Amino acid sequence: MNDVMRDVMRGVAKKAGERAELVSALLALTVYLTGLTLQLTGNGGPAAQALFVAAYVFGGFFTLREAVATLREGRFQVDFLMLVAAAGAAAIGRWEEGAVLLVLFSLGHALEEYAMGRARRSIEALGALAPRTALVRRGTADPVEVPVEELAVGDTVLVRPHTRVPADGFVAAGSSSVDQSPITGESVPADKTPVADPAAALADPAGADPGSRVYAGTVNGSGSLDVVVTRLAADNTLARVVRMVQDAEERTSPTQRFTDRFQKVFVPGVLVLVAALLGFGALTGEPFTDTFYRAMAVLVAASPCALAIATPAAVLSAVGRAARGGVLVKGGAPLEEFGRLSTLAFDKTGTLTEGRPRLTEALAADGAGREELLRTALATQRLSDHPLAQAVVRDAPALLADAPAGAGAPEAVNLRAVIGRGVSAELDGEAVHIGSLSYADTLTGPPVPPALRERTEELARTGRTTMLVRRGDRWLGTLGLMDAPRPEAAETVAALRALGVTRTVMLSGDDQRVADAVAREVGMDEALGGLMPQDKVTEVARLRRTGRTAMIGDGVNDAPAMAGATVGVAMGAAGSAVALETADIALMSDDLRRLPFITGLSRRASRIIRQNLWLSLGIVAVLVPATALGLGIGPAVLVHEGSTLVVVANALRLLRHRDPVAGR
């Protein structure tokens, strides 16, 4: 009979594949119920006994295999305790009790694995987003379909309308809107246009305009695109995200480390308790079969099945849901820590702000015109490559009255830069000076008019970087520039506060007045300006002394401060391999609204982990004395396995966590 059962089990495992454990558990349930029916109808005898033995084989096959594997590693786990209890029941002739134990345990374990597999499949589904083939343009011939693994950096692929992008790259020709939600979580498709300089973009893909970069697995809209490949299939953003999310399962949280340590002590302790019960029964003269049965029931009741799965199930579900929402969480530790945070520290430039200065004000001096001010500044700054000069060149045309401005604008010559202070040039034979107030005060000729000086200082107090403009001996006015806050920054800070974040701090290398102005606009609690990278590390360490602190930055310049925080969070990681590697949590897009999403998800995950732990420990605390006082193995294992399934089902709720921004 054993040979037959062994052959049946081999056939089941081969045909059922990954569902073999569930199929085996269902077979165990079927033969057990058949045997129980025979027994209850008075037709038991050898036939019912054989069916109970069959239930042992089907129900215990995978349990035995797992127990042997853990014993070889020198560990005692729940599977071992269940096998001991079932063997004990058989030893005293209670085959039906041992059978129901193994049937319910194997069924619960199989359903648990199936549910956990659902969470894993939500992660693995990310890897299926990238197409397997791509249409490559080679020479003047029609595009050739090749496997994506054969794509090389520099190849040009054709992306037809309403198809998935096969590789990371940049748009060389065509325009379209691309749904980037599988990678970045953005709810609105992003418009894509060709790069201005394909050679420069290929040499430095990370420096290409985000409006031209595309990622493997995203969905093209109604336009056709020619995309130049910048990363191999094995190293594209989607592949890296999938690998990192899978690796995250191995990074255990503090709670999981506690439960692992607890089990190493608890399981041997249960065996000692069982031995003590057997000894106590012998001393009191109780029949051995009754004592042994009670000891086996206690063994079942004390098995920490639900405790073992409580944290991994929640972490896996939350990590998978975060990945679908455009957030990469590198394991249970950062997830759990982020869920308990009280303080968030933000870098300013590129995180709370757009990361590039904008021309926000053009104030003409008395007796001068705004148009003359802008045209003079535009003509002079065209010759400079300074970021502030480029902001004037980019934004001044929109402020000119005769749009499209810039047409027929005069051309300046002989640009000279005074590092850190300003520039001078010649325009239509007149000297032009543009720079800070301190630079203006060094110039010979008429001083800055008091009214213009006052207006310039007022702009500086509101966080603007100011440029005074003089042409010949005439002061034309002042320009105000500012790295403007992201449109969603204030909304994000308010949402974080509603979720329980009690303190928000902005860390900036800019002047304190600039930092204060941005902080007021977005609603931060504190702003610290004039900080060097090492100063940010010091401030983060100070914040950590008052509670758990996350540092949100770009993942590169802020890497030291992020490393010193409880959790480091990188923005815009889809375009930065460094950010993906350095951060504990990576927001794949530049959308700050991902922060409330992951904050809400991590807080909910922490609550569910605590619920699962209390339920698991509570069940053990109730069942152990109940079985010691006479509760049988059958009811004990039913409650025991039922609690395990409740714990897993509770954790799987995280897969349906709603993203308020995306509405899904």
Side-chain angles (χ1 to χ4, degrees):
M1 183 175 179
N2 288 341
D3 291 337
V4 173
M5 289 297 174
R6 191 181 301 113
D7 291 338
V8 170
M9 286 307 307
R10 285 174 180 169
V12 168
K14 183 177 180 180
K15 292 179 181 179
E18 63 176 15
R19 297 182 180 178
E21 188 170 4
L22 182 57
V23 172
S24 180
L26 291 174
L27 286 173
L29 177 63
T30 301
V31 294
Y32 168 74
L33 291 176
T34 304
L36 183 64
T37 302
L38 290 176
Q39 192 175 63
L40 293 176
T41 57
N43 299 313
Q49 180 78 3
L51 289 169
F52 290 143
V53 172
Y56 262 73
V57 176
F58 286 121
F61 178 81
F62 288 97
T63 305
L64 177 62
R65 191 171 67 177
E66 194 163 332
V68 169
T70 55
L71 283 173
R72 284 175 177 168
E73 297 171 3
R75 295 183 292 117
F76 289 96
Q77 287 195 338
V78 176
D79 310 77
F80 177 75
L81 297 183
M82 290 298 179
L83 286 172
V84 170
I92 59 174
R94 306 286 287 269
W95 287 90
E96 67 281 6
E97 295 277 6
V100 73
L101 164 62
L102 288 177
V103 166
L104 292 176
F105 180 75
S106 63
L107 190 60
H109 195 267
L111 291 173
E112 168 196 315
E113 284 297 311
Y114 180 78
M116 290 290 285
R118 180 183 168 192
R120 291 189 183 97
R121 284 192 294 275
S122 73
I123 295 172
E124 293 165 357
L126 291 171
L129 292 176
R132 297 182 180 276
T133 61
L135 294 172
V136 184
R137 293 190 185 277
R138 288 177 177 159
T140 58
D142 291 337
V144 179
E145 187 171 9
V146 300
V148 292
E149 292 79 11
E150 295 182 10
L151 292 177
V153 173
D155 279 347
T156 299
V157 298
L158 170 64
V159 184
R160 288 177 171 154
H162 308 298
T163 61
R164 291 192 181 273
V165 178
D168 283 12
F170 59 82
V171 178
S175 60
S176 183
S177 60
V178 176
D179 179 4
Q180 299 187 147
S181 59
I183 302 296
T184 66
E186 295 167 281
S187 57
V188 178
D191 292 334
K192 300 296 177 181
T193 55
V195 294
D197 187 346
L202 185 58
D204 180 21
D209 185 349
S212 300
R213 296 204 302 262
V214 294
Y215 307 108
T218 55
V219 183
N220 186 23
S222 58
S224 185
L225 300 175
D226 278 5
V227 173
V228 176
V229 177
T230 57
R231 283 182 183 160
L232 301 178
D235 197 42
N236 64 40
T237 300
L238 181 62
R240 294 167 70 88
V241 169
V242 171
R243 283 198 302 271
M244 288 180 178
V245 172
Q246 290 171 339
D247 291 344
E249 193 178 346
E250 306 301 321
R251 297 180 61 184
T252 55
S253 69
T255 304
Q256 182 60 37
R257 289 193 292 271
F258 162 75
T259 56
D260 289 344
R261 290 194 300 270
F262 178 77
Q263 285 187 81
K264 287 179 181 178
V265 176
F266 182 73
V267 173
V270 170
L271 295 176
V272 171
L273 174 62
V274 168
L277 286 173
L278 291 173
F280 180 77
L283 291 175
T284 59
E286 183 182 39
F288 177 74
T289 53
D290 293 345
T291 301
F292 193 79
Y293 181 81
R294 181 182 293 108
M296 293 303 100
V298 169
L299 188 64
V300 171
S303 299
C305 238
L307 181 65
I309 201 65
T311 303
V315 168
L316 188 62
S317 298
V319 168
R321 177 64 187 97
R324 294 204 328 267
V327 181
L328 172 61
V329 182
K330 295 185 180 177
L335 175 76
E336 204 168 322
E337 293 287 5
F338 203 76
R340 300 172 179 173
L341 287 171
S342 58
T343 302
L344 292 182
F346 292 82
D347 174 53
K348 181 185 80 70
T349 304
T351 303
L352 286 172
T353 66
E354 296 176 342
R356 61 175 186 171
R358 292 185 177 276
L359 179 60
T360 55
E361 285 89 13
L363 306 179
D366 294 338
R370 188 167 184 260
E371 183 173 340
E372 184 184 8
L373 166 66
L374 287 168
R375 287 195 179 280
T376 301
L378 181 58
T380 304
Q381 299 288 37
R382 276 203 184 106
L383 303 178
S384 174
D385 59 359
H386 191 279
L388 294 178
Q390 292 174 350
V392 171
V393 173
R394 183 187 65 242
D395 299 336
L399 300 180
L400 284 164
D402 55 344
E411 294 184 7
V413 294
N414 298 331
L415 181 80
R416 293 179 301 278
V418 181
I419 303 301
R421 306 185 75 179
V423 296
S424 64
E426 292 180 14
L427 183 63
D428 292 339
E430 292 184 290
V432 175
H433 299 278
I434 302 177
S436 63
L437 187 58
S438 61
Y439 171 65
D441 287 337
T442 66
L443 300 176
T444 59
V448 179
L452 182 59
R453 178 183 292 274
E454 183 179 343
R455 297 174 79 182
T456 302
E457 290 175 343
E458 177 61 28
L459 281 178
R461 283 193 291 272
T462 61
R464 270 58 172 176
T465 299
T466 57
M467 293 181 180
L468 285 152
V469 181
R470 192 176 93 177
R471 181 171 180 174
D473 289 337
R474 297 170 56 235
W475 290 98
L476 301 182
T478 187
L479 303 177
L481 296 96
M482 186 177 185
D483 182 11
R486 295 177 182 273
E488 73 275 12
E491 171 193 345
T492 297
V493 173
L496 290 170
R497 192 167 282 115
L499 287 167
V501 174
T502 57
R503 189 180 185 188
T504 55
V505 182
M506 188 178 74
L507 307 178
S508 174
D510 283 342
D511 181 83
Q512 184 65 48
R513 292 178 300 179
V514 176
D516 288 339
V518 174
R520 281 195 301 271
E521 191 166 344
V522 302
M524 304 294 288
D525 296 318
E526 300 175 44
L528 301 173
L531 301 178
M532 299 296 287
Q534 61 269 27
D535 299 326
K536 292 183 181 181
V537 174
T538 302
E539 290 300 329
V540 167
R542 178 182 64 84
L543 292 171
R544 282 197 69 176
R545 288 194 288 271
T546 64
R548 291 182 175 89
T549 301
M551 175 67 192
I552 297 98
D554 61 9
V556 182
N557 298 331
D558 302 305
M562 288 166 60
T566 311
V567 180
V569 182
M571 287 274 294
S576 171
V578 177
L580 275 175
E581 297 291 345
T582 58
D584 298 309
I585 296 176
L587 312 184
M588 301 304 292
S589 71
D590 281 325
D591 187 354
L592 273 173
R593 292 174 297 178
R594 299 293 86 209
L595 273 176
F597 164 68
I598 188 58
T599 302
L601 177 62
S602 59
R603 274 167 157 63
R604 188 179 182 192
S606 293
R607 289 195 301 271
I608 284 179
I609 288 172
R610 288 195 296 271
Q611 292 167 5
N612 285 352
L613 288 178
W614 282 113
L615 175 64
S616 307
L617 293 172
I619 291 295
V620 171
V622 170
L623 276 184
V624 169
T627 49
L629 294 174
L631 184 69
I633 287 178
V637 75
L638 186 63
V639 173
H640 182 277
E641 291 308 307
S643 68
T644 301
L645 294 179
V646 169
V647 161
V648 173
N650 193 32
L652 288 178
R653 292 191 300 129
L654 291 167
L655 289 173
R656 299 191 301 274
H657 181 76
R658 188 174 181 274
D659 182 351
V661 174
R664 51 182 169 81

